[in-house]
Structure formats: structure tokens, C-alpha cells
Amino acid sequence: MPTSSLFPSDSKSGHGIVHLTLLPPSTPTFSTLTYTYPLKLLPSTPHILSSPSVDTLSPTSDTITPTRPTHVPLLFLLSYGGGLLPPDTLSLTLRLAPTTRLVITTQGSTKIFPPPPSNPTASASQTLTTYIGAHAGLWLAPDPTQPFRGSRYAQKQVFELEKDASIGLIDWVCEGRRARGESWGDLHSWRGSNEVWRKGQVDGERKLIVRDNAILSGSKLASRMSTLGVFGTVILGGPLFVRLSSFFLSEFSLLPRIGARDWGDDKPDAELDAVEKRRKERWKEEKEDGILWTAASVRGCVVVKFGAREVEGGRKWLGWMLREEESIGKDFGPGGLMFVR
């Protein structure tokens, strides 16, 4: 049977289409996977989930969700040369069939290069439009974008969720090449937008759940960012991320706060249980790495904002949170934690 080319001649540059479907009885497969330069999509061998398939009760309905899949595909989102040179434009449309799961990551930070002298106002951009079917789940966990001196960049990510669909994403950016003396104040502009829409359970209408915008630009940007070398957002929504969402909210509520705790009543280490000891060690590392973070519940989703002095400090903190709670590894396989290795 003839197959469609990965590089269709009639496609626009930088455009990609991915359709993930399920073959009987429960084999995930990319029924469509196309892309054109400078976008590159690299599918990896699906990761096997360590725990057996079980039926679980959805927290948002009274019905039993379909049996948990045994394999989760991993898709690398890449660009030639490891970055984007204005006016490069990437546009990816992603569709997840009901009950499927997918992990998307990268193989390193995405560099944003300055525009060429012949087109000094050009901007690089990236758009992701995702449709997630009922009981399906997407974990989008790339490395950070890194805007270089004079760069212009804009990205928009839109996620359309069907009934009991789940979305988890990490969107972060770090300052430019410190070895070349670059800082936040050297980039021209970085703009990011994330929108989560969900179809109503009763009327079926499309409703906006979260719209998160970040704009980094201006002469005072470096002073506003202070000591932070990386800034990011985590958005979690849907049944697959209920436990992780609760974990972030719980850990945030336990953070030491000035005036809200008697520091003389701290337990000695000998009286702490294993979880408390790990948490105390994390607090110490957070201070050393300059970690600042907050978490809030927004219309059924949890939004986390975080910053760190260095990328590796932020990566270490994210890895600690995800490994301690464990559900990403269990529900999406080892590929879900690849970006924090």
C-alpha cells in the first residue's frame, strides 16, 4: 500500500501535521506524520508503561475511563541547526485520537538567532495547535528556548480538549549566551501565549479555561528579572494530571513564609520521616539555586510559575518535583522525564 511522503511537495515551509491513532487492540501509531524544513519531527520507539493497565474512575465524571494504554509514543520536536533564524516560522497541528497518550520533547534548548542585517525587523515564530480526544493525554515537556542578543520571537500554543482529555505542559525560556556577555536586556522581544480550551460536558460549547501570556522586552527587562536566569510556566489540566496538580499545590502551601511559622519549633532531623527529610533537602537546594515559584488553581487547571538562577537549577527542581510525585513516569513512561535527565 502506498504511503504518503514525509516531505510533501505542496506543503508550506515549516509546517507539520501529526495524527496519533490507536490500532486494535491498543497499539498507538502515527497515521499521519509530515513536516517541512526547517521543522523536523523525530518519532521514537514507544515507551512501555511500567504499571499494568487498570480501569480508573475519572474525577470529572461518573463513568469508567477506558483501559490504560501499555505504550506511549515519544516525539522529538526539532529544528535544523538547533534553533530558529528569522523569518523562520514553524506551525504544527497535532491530533490525538481518544484514549491515546503522547510525549513531546526536544533534544536541547531551541536557540533564537538575531535577524539578518538584510531584514533587521524580522521575527521567528512558532505555532502549535493541538486537538486532544476524549480520555487522551499530552505531556509537552521541551527544553527551554534561548533568545540571543537582538532576537525577536513569538510563539502561540492552543490546546483543544474533549471530554476528560488531559494536558500537561512546560514552557520556559532562559537568557542568552552568558559566555558572550548576553543577558535578558540584550534580546529585542520574546512573546509566549498558551491557551487551553475545553468542550462543555453538557452543551458541547468550546470554553476558554486558561490563557497565559508572557512578554519579555524593554530596557528595564534585565532589572525586572533580577537574578533569574530562567523563567517558566507549568500548566496542568485533566484527569491524568490531578495527582500532580494536587502535589504542586500541597508543596506550595508548605513553603516557609515569613511571619507564618515559628522557626524555633522546627523538628530535629532525627524526628523527620523520609518525605520530610527530602522536602527539607529540596528547600535547601531551592535556596542555593535561587528558585522562586508559585502555584494556583485556575478553572480546573493548575498553573505554576517558576524561576531559577541557572537552567540546571530549574531543571533539577522540576526533576525533583516530578520524580517525587511519580505520576508522569507511571502514566507517560520514561520519555516523560527525558527533559530533566
Side-chain angles (χ1 to χ4, degrees):
M1 184 178 69
T3 57
S4 58
S5 171
L6 289 176
F7 315 102
S9 59
D10 58 345
S11 294
K12 297 180 180 179
S13 63
H15 282 227
I17 300 175
V18 177
H19 292 176
L20 180 64
T21 56
L22 210 59
L23 294 180
S26 59
T27 303
T29 183
F30 292 107
S31 58
T32 301
L33 197 156
T34 65
Y35 58 88
T36 57
Y37 179 88
L39 174 64
K40 187 175 183 179
L41 302 172
L42 181 63
S44 179
T45 303
H47 287 248
I48 301 175
L49 298 184
S50 57
S51 302
S53 298
V54 293
D55 287 334
T56 56
L57 182 64
S58 167
T60 58
S61 70
D62 296 327
T63 60
I64 300 296
T65 64
T67 300
R68 181 173 177 234
T70 57
H71 294 73
V72 177
L74 174 64
L75 183 66
F76 288 96
L77 177 61
L78 311 173
S79 57
Y80 288 86
L84 298 176
L85 175 66
D88 285 349
T89 298
L90 304 186
S91 178
L92 177 62
T93 300
L94 176 66
R95 291 184 181 273
L96 272 62
T99 74
T100 59
R101 297 181 192 178
L102 177 64
V103 174
I104 296 181
T105 188
T106 56
Q107 291 183 326
S109 61
T110 300
K111 282 72 174 175
I112 311 299
F113 297 97
S118 59
N119 192 4
T121 61
S123 174
S125 65
Q126 182 168 293
T127 302
L128 173 64
T129 305
T130 304
Y131 303 91
I132 307 177
H135 305 290
L138 172 65
W139 175 236
L140 177 61
D143 292 282
T145 57
Q146 184 180 26
F148 290 173
R149 178 182 285 118
S151 62
R152 301 166 184 253
Y153 176 74
Q155 73 171 31
K156 184 174 184 178
Q157 301 183 137
V158 180
F159 305 91
E160 305 266 1
L161 278 59
E162 296 287 336
K163 178 181 178 182
D164 287 335
S166 300
I167 175 63
L169 70 95
I170 297 175
D171 183 16
W172 48 331
V173 54
C174 64
E175 63 182 345
R177 299 162 289 189
R178 285 186 172 179
R180 302 189 63 175
E182 296 182 4
S183 67
W184 292 111
D186 292 314
L187 67 89
H188 185 278
S189 63
W190 186 99
R191 299 172 183 268
S193 175
N194 293 294
E195 295 181 1
V196 178
W197 298 75
R198 185 178 292 279
K199 184 174 290 188
Q201 300 277 358
V202 178
D203 55 17
E205 289 189 9
R206 178 176 176 263
K207 298 179 180 179
L208 179 64
I209 305 300
V210 173
R211 174 179 285 146
D212 179 81
N213 296 322
I215 301 176
L216 305 179
S217 65
S219 59
K220 297 182 179 180
L221 177 61
S223 62
R224 296 206 313 268
M225 299 301 283
S226 186
T227 60
L228 297 182
V230 60
F231 167 78
T233 302
V234 180
I235 298 178
L236 305 168
L240 289 176
F241 297 102
V242 167
R243 289 171 295 175
L244 183 57
S245 298
S246 299
F247 179 75
F248 270 105
L249 293 174
S250 175
E251 288 297 313
F252 179 67
S253 69
L254 294 172
L255 285 177
R257 285 169 171 79
I258 296 175
R261 181 172 178 178
D262 185 352
W263 296 94
D265 289 342
D266 281 349
K267 291 182 182 179
D269 288 350
E271 297 180 14
L272 299 176
D273 61 28
V275 174
E276 290 173 326
K277 287 181 180 179
R278 291 196 298 271
R279 181 182 295 118
K280 187 174 182 179
E281 183 63 27
R282 191 197 83 223
W283 287 349
K284 179 182 177 181
E285 292 181 354
E286 285 182 1
K287 184 176 181 180
E288 293 173 352
D289 293 330
I291 301 291
L292 297 174
W293 69 284
T294 184
S297 180
V298 182
R299 299 176 188 165
C301 290
V302 166
V303 179
V304 179
K305 295 288 185 177
F306 69 93
R309 192 176 296 113
E310 303 280 352
V311 172
E312 289 310 309
R315 195 187 307 275
K316 182 169 61 175
W317 176 77
L318 286 169
W320 191 98
M321 299 292 282
L322 299 180
R323 293 188 181 98
E324 182 71 12
E325 194 278 328
E326 297 184 334
S327 66
I328 292 297
K330 290 181 178 179
D331 292 332
F332 290 90
L337 297 173
M338 185 168 291
F339 79 108
V340 292
R341 290 179 181 174

